[in-house]
Structures are given as structure tokens and as C-alpha cells.
Amino acid sequence: MAEYSLWVLEYATSPRVDMGDIVYGARGQGTRPMPYAYVVLQSRDHVAMVDVGYNHVDFGATLAELYDTAHWHGPREVLALCGLAPEDVDTVFITHAHFDHFGNVDAFPNARFYLAAREIERSVWALSLPERMQYPAASIDPGDLIKGTALARAGRLKLLTGDKEDVLPGIDLHLAPDTHSFESLWVHLRNDGRRPSSDGWVLAGDLVYAYENIGGTGKGAEAGQAYRPVGFAMGSQVNLVLASEAMLKCVDYERRRIIPVHEDKLKTMFPSRQREEGLAITEICLADGAVSRIG
Ligand SMILES: [Zn+2]
């Protein structure tokens, strides 16, 4: 029995990302297209999202151009792919404070947000460093931190200092300090409501960019290759390996149950529909009785 439908919604795309950013040590091994996407989880009682993308204005647009990102679509158009509107969203889990994940909170007026406390604290710290030390602030839009502060003041931002079980029924949040970002958050959906779950999914944020990062798409602890951590990271590769192991353990080492939103292959591994460049829906699973949004 599946309680939630799960869709990955692509909202923009970057045609050429250096393999060195995707896989640690792979600099000079070519480029790959990288979709930008967020995740919708819909049950009978909730519409939740993992990340909200960015808004293509102001510094968000500047950063997007820096990363060669194109074909941006706003959340009203994107959420319509699964029959929803931004106002329907009641809960949002922000995996980390990079602009393409945290950059459009104001488009979701009825949502309550979750983010790691240390992620936002260290992001402010990173921005305070001198120009020559700005690498840790790459991908951070100061405007997003200001909007986050306003949400906190309005009682709509919950800042986590540890893991949180059953934040919504069947959904656990886990923190991964000093990995891709200062304190990334990953989401474990137990879609049968059980613990341990035999129908689990992990929304990995940028802890995983591509399946190479977690040893491919095979099943079983010994089936895959060694983990090769993401290249673009603020913390350590050791911590990324440990986070990969923690995520895979949750899904009994069935690697396709780890969902990396930037993985270009995702839309060929699951049923999907591409409307135009930068606008696609991938249907990871359907709740019992829910209507497919593909085809
Ligand atoms: Zn990121």
C-alpha cells in the first residue's frame, strides 16, 4: 500500500556541466547535461515538496547565468504537470541553501518549511568572509537567506538541529553535516508507513548528483561499484561516502530508490513526459488510487 505519489518536476536545465563537478576527481572527463528539478509528494492529506527551485530574477538570475542554466519555468506552470498549484503545497523540505533549491520560497504562500539550522547559520558566515575566501558561498543568494529569516519570524520556518522522524506520516528527515553543503538534509519516505520500510524512497538533494556517486543503479550491498562522491562540495568526501551509505541502508541497497534530482538519466529510468526543454515530469511512484500524470 503506497500512501504518497512521488513526482520529480524539472523546471530548468544546464546543457553542459563539467564531470569534475558531478564526480570527484573526474575533471577533464567531458560534460553532461544537468536538469534542475524539485520533488512533489502527494498523499490524501498532504502536498509536500522537496526544494522549491529558484526564481529567475535579481541575483537568482545572475547565479543561473553563471552556471549556464537555461529554459527556466515558474512553479505555477511546472506544478500544473501534476495537477497542482503552488497554493496547494503545505510542507516543504529544503535540502540545502543553494539558490536552485532554496531560491523561490515566496512562491508558496501556504507552506511550512524545514531546513537544517546550521545550513543557514554557516551560509551567513560564508557570505561574511573576504572576497578571496568566497568559495564556500558559491551558489548562495543572500536574498534567499533574508527571505528565510522572514519566514522564521512568521513562524513558517522550522530549523532542525538533529534528525526528525515522522515530520509528516511516513516521512523522516536526516541531516548530513559538512558534505555537499554545510548541513544538507535528506528525506526518507516510508511509503508503506512501516519502520523498517520495504517501500522506501530517498530524496537525496545534492548529496547525489548522478548514480555514479552511489556506485551505479544495481541492487544489493555488494552489487555496485565503490561510491564516488560529488565533486562540488563544501565539506568532505569522507562525509559524502558516509551519507551515501546511510541513505542506501534505508532502501536495502536498491540504488534506484535513491532519487537524485540533477540526474539526467532519471527520466529514462522511470515513466516520464517531456513537454519542452526544461519542463518534464518523472513519475517515481503512485499512491493507491492516484491518477498517473504521464501520457
Ligand atoms: Zn547544491
Side-chain angles (χ1 to χ4, degrees):
M1 201 190 83
E3 289 177 30
Y4 291 84
S5 297
L6 197 54
W7 293 286
V8 175
L9 303 176
E10 181 185 318
Y11 71 88
T13 185
S14 188
R16 276 174 304 280
V17 173
D18 195 296
M19 280 307 293
D21 289 330
I22 296 174
V23 176
Y24 184 70
R27 183 108 14 228
Q29 294 176 22
T31 65
R32 184 183 289 180
M34 183 185 261
Y36 283 48
Y38 33 73
V39 180
V40 167
L41 305 89
Q42 185 176 25
S43 71
R44 234 183 20 222
D45 302 321
H46 292 283
V47 178
M49 286 177 70
V50 180
D51 296 327
V52 291
Y54 72 93
N55 194 0
H56 202 84
V57 295
D58 306 328
F59 196 58
T62 306
L63 282 172
E65 276 151 32
L66 188 73
Y67 290 110
D68 207 12
T69 306
H71 309 294
W72 181 86
H73 298 268
R76 192 163 301 282
E77 188 186 359
V78 175
L79 285 175
L81 293 173
C82 55
L84 294 166
E87 293 78 9
D88 299 328
V89 177
D90 56 71
T91 310
V92 177
F93 311 116
I94 300 290
T95 60
H96 62 298
H98 290 166
F99 82 106
D100 56 316
H101 298 258
F102 188 38
N104 208 7
V105 293
D106 38 354
F108 300 89
N110 302 319
R112 185 167 197 219
F113 294 82
Y114 291 82
L115 173 70
R118 200 166 153 275
E119 176 75 4
I120 199 164
E121 291 163 6
R122 294 293 276 173
S123 297
V124 174
W125 165 79
L127 287 170
S128 78
L129 297 172
E131 199 61 42
R132 64 184 178 277
M133 292 172 69
Q134 278 296 300
Y135 177 75
S139 283
I140 293 171
D141 179 347
D144 296 343
L145 306 181
I146 292 165
K147 286 181 205 160
T149 307
L151 283 176
R153 188 70 192 89
R156 292 177 55 209
L157 176 63
K158 187 89 188 143
L159 290 171
L160 301 176
T161 53
D163 294 356
K164 190 171 175 60
E165 291 185 346
D166 292 303
V167 60
L168 292 180
I171 296 180
D172 302 334
L173 305 180
H174 296 268
L175 302 185
D178 296 315
T179 47
H180 168 71
S181 68
F182 301 114
E183 187 124 2
S184 286
L185 173 157
W186 54 276
V187 179
H188 181 206
L189 166 65
R190 291 175 290 103
N191 216 3
D192 50 6
R194 301 221 172 112
R195 189 189 307 280
S197 171
S198 55
D199 186 14
W201 297 95
V202 167
L203 295 323
D206 285 0
L207 291 168
V208 182
Y209 271 154
Y211 282 101
E212 287 103 310
N213 298 136
I214 52 169
T217 55
K219 181 170 163 33
E222 309 305 330
Q225 308 291 312
Y227 305 151
R228 298 174 70 198
V230 299
F232 183 64
M234 301 305 143
S236 83
Q237 274 70 37
V238 172
N239 289 340
L240 276 159
V241 167
L242 294 173
S244 299
E245 178 68 5
M247 290 187 288
L248 275 162
K249 216 169 167 177
C250 274
V251 294
D252 203 19
Y253 298 90
E254 196 177 341
R255 288 168 183 77
R256 62 185 282 283
R257 287 182 175 270
I258 308 285
I259 305 300
V261 292
H262 287 299
E263 167 61 89
D264 194 42
K265 243 187 354 225
L266 206 60
K267 46 183 182 282
T268 61
M269 290 173 58
F270 296 90
S272 70
R273 179 165 60 102
Q274 177 132 27
R275 276 261 308 275
E276 52 188 271
E277 226 16 61
L279 188 66
I281 175 169
T282 300
E283 195 162 85
I284 305 295
C285 67
L286 279 179
D288 294 354
V291 180
S292 172
R293 302 294 178 175
I294 307 300

